[in-house]
Amino acid sequence: MENTVAEVLKPLIEQRADPFIYRHTDGYYYFTASVPQYDSIELRRAKTIEGLASAQTRDVWRKPDTGPYSELIWAPEIHFNQGAWYVYFAAAPSREIKNKLFQHRMYAIRNTNANPLEGQWEFMGQVDTGIDSFCLDATTFTHKGQLYYLWAQKEEGIDGNSNLYIAPMETPWQIKGKPVMLSKPEYDWECRGFLVNEGPSVLKKNGRIFISYSASATDHNYAMGLLWADENADVLDPAAWHKSEKPVLETCYEHKIYGPGHNSFTIGEDGSTVLLVYHARTYTEIVGDPLWNPDRHTFVKPLRWNADGMPDFGRPSIA
C-alpha cells in the first residue's frame, strides 16, 4: 500500500537541522545534526532509519564556556576514517558578527571505540585550511585510496558568505596542499537573501562523483544544487566538475515544505537504495532571524535516477 501524502510529509526527527545519517559496517545507522541550542554534539544510533526517531541520544561533546570554539556549534557530521570515528563541526568564539559574518572555524573530535556512543571523545583541534576566514560544513570522502576534505568558506575578494572548497587530507584531522575552489554563488537561486554555497555532501554512483550543496538564505529561499564529475577525473581540477544551472531541490509550496537543504546521503536497509536526508521547514511565518528558529526538521526520501544516470531529487518529501 502506498504512503499517503500526509504520511510521506511527516518529518523523521523534528527540530534537527543539518542532518547527517551514516550507515556503518556494524549494521547501525548513526545520526547527528545541529541541535536548536547550538551548544553540543548529539549522537544516536539504530538498526533502521525509522528507529533513529526514537533512539536514545547521547551528548558526546559540549562546548566550553569560553574560547575559540565556545559558541554556535553547527553542522556536525560523523565519519569513520582510517579506523576511528571522527565528528567534524564548526564553532565560533562568540555570537558576534564581524564584517557581516559569524566567526566560525572548523574542528574535529575522535573516538577509537567500536561504538561511538561509548568510550571517550578526544578533541583533535582546528582543521586549518590555510585560509583564515569564516568556514563551516565540512565533510569527508575517500576516492581511489585518498581521503578528501570538502567544506564551505569565505574568500577575500569573492562576494558572498561562502564558496565550496576541496583538499586532500594528510590525516583525518589535517589537510595537505592548497584548497581548490569548486563552486561559488553565481546563479540567482544561489544569491537570494545571501550569496551562499554550503553544506556539501558526496555521492558516488553510475560512474560519477556527485556533490550536492545548499544555497541562499536559510528561510524559504534555501535550495539545493549539484556538481558532478567523472569518477576517473581529477577531483582537484575545477574544470572536471559540471554545475547545474538550476536547483535540484527547492521549496514546494503545494506540499508546504520550505527551504529544503543541507543534505546528506545514506543507503537504505535493502543495501542499495540511495536515501536523501535533508532538513526543511513546514511554515514560512518566521519571526526574526531564521537562524534562531528551531523548526528545521529532518526528512528522508528515496532518490530516483534518470535514464542517463543522473539523480532525480524530485520535490521535497515526495518520492
Side-chain angles (χ1 to χ4, degrees):
M1 181 177 177
E2 292 186 1
N3 288 339
T4 66
V5 169
E7 289 171 331
V8 173
L9 294 182
K10 182 181 178 182
L12 176 70
I13 302 173
E14 294 187 347
Q15 294 194 341
R16 289 298 181 270
D18 315 320
F20 188 86
I21 297 178
Y22 167 66
R23 189 187 194 199
H24 192 45
T25 53
D26 61 3
Y28 281 94
Y29 288 97
Y30 292 86
F31 174 87
T32 189
S34 296
V35 298
Q37 298 79 13
Y38 301 137
D39 63 351
S40 62
I41 295 172
E42 172 193 276
L43 293 181
R44 63 180 79 183
R45 74 172 188 166
K47 286 285 190 178
T48 65
I49 295 287
E50 282 292 331
L52 290 170
S54 58
Q56 184 176 2
T57 63
R58 182 191 169 194
D59 285 347
V60 300
W61 188 85
R62 296 192 68 84
K63 71 176 186 65
D65 292 333
T66 60
Y69 43 90
S70 59
E71 278 289 358
L72 300 177
I73 310 305
W74 286 356
E77 289 196 6
I78 183 167
H79 295 261
F80 191 78
N81 287 332
Q82 300 177 8
W85 294 97
Y86 291 86
V87 171
Y88 303 94
F89 64 97
S94 71
R95 299 192 174 192
E96 183 181 1
I97 294 176
K98 297 182 179 179
N99 299 320
K100 300 181 180 180
L101 290 170
F102 286 104
Q103 299 302 300
H104 285 74
R105 300 298 187 268
M106 299 177 294
Y107 301 91
I109 57 176
R110 178 176 68 183
N111 189 339
T112 58
N113 195 285
N115 178 0
L117 276 72
E118 300 175 352
Q120 297 298 312
W121 283 89
E122 177 185 5
F123 184 72
M124 305 304 291
Q126 182 180 345
V127 182
D128 185 1
T129 69
I131 307 172
D132 187 23
S133 65
F134 172 75
C135 54
L136 72 171
D137 294 355
T139 193
T140 64
F141 70 101
T142 299
H143 186 58
K144 297 189 175 181
Q146 174 65 54
L147 183 64
Y148 290 93
Y149 196 68
L150 180 64
W151 73 98
Q153 186 154 13
K154 168 67 178 178
E155 183 171 336
E156 188 176 354
I158 299 177
D159 290 339
N161 289 30
S162 59
N163 317 307
L164 298 183
Y165 295 86
I166 188 173
M169 302 196 81
E170 184 72 43
T171 69
W173 64 95
Q174 297 169 306
I175 72 167
K176 62 181 178 182
K178 185 179 180 181
V180 174
M181 188 179 73
L182 296 184
S183 178
K184 65 181 180 180
E186 53 191 312
Y187 299 120
D188 171 73
W189 62 270
E190 298 176 292
C191 304
R192 295 172 182 165
F194 294 100
L195 283 69
V196 172
N197 278 185
E198 65 182 16
S201 186
V202 176
L203 174 64
K204 295 195 284 185
K205 193 175 177 67
N206 298 337
R208 298 183 179 98
I209 303 175
F210 300 99
I211 298 175
S212 61
Y213 66 94
S214 297
S216 291
T218 60
D219 54 15
H220 63 282
N221 289 300
Y222 211 48
M224 280 173 48
L226 189 68
L227 307 174
W228 67 95
D230 185 274
E231 64 180 355
N232 294 313
D234 178 3
V235 297
L236 297 176
D237 178 8
W241 293 92
H242 309 275
K243 181 177 181 177
S244 175
E245 296 182 5
K246 297 180 179 180
V248 294
L249 193 70
E250 58 187 332
T251 287
C252 181
Y253 290 95
E254 180 184 356
H255 297 109
K256 297 181 173 59
I257 303 294
Y258 307 102
H262 202 117
N263 80 290
S264 58
F265 299 103
T266 194
I267 299 298
E269 290 142 41
D270 61 2
S272 60
T273 301
V274 177
L275 299 177
L276 175 67
V277 184
Y278 64 97
H279 75 231
R281 303 180 188 275
T282 54
Y283 61 87
T284 59
E285 299 77 17
I286 300 170
V287 177
D289 189 331
L291 178 65
W292 309 114
N293 178 282
D295 292 327
R296 289 181 290 174
H297 308 311
T298 295
F299 290 83
V300 179
K301 60 173 282 186
L303 201 62
R304 295 192 174 186
W305 297 89
N306 295 323
D308 61 1
M310 294 292 289
D312 178 0
F313 288 78
R315 292 188 290 172
S317 293
I318 303 299

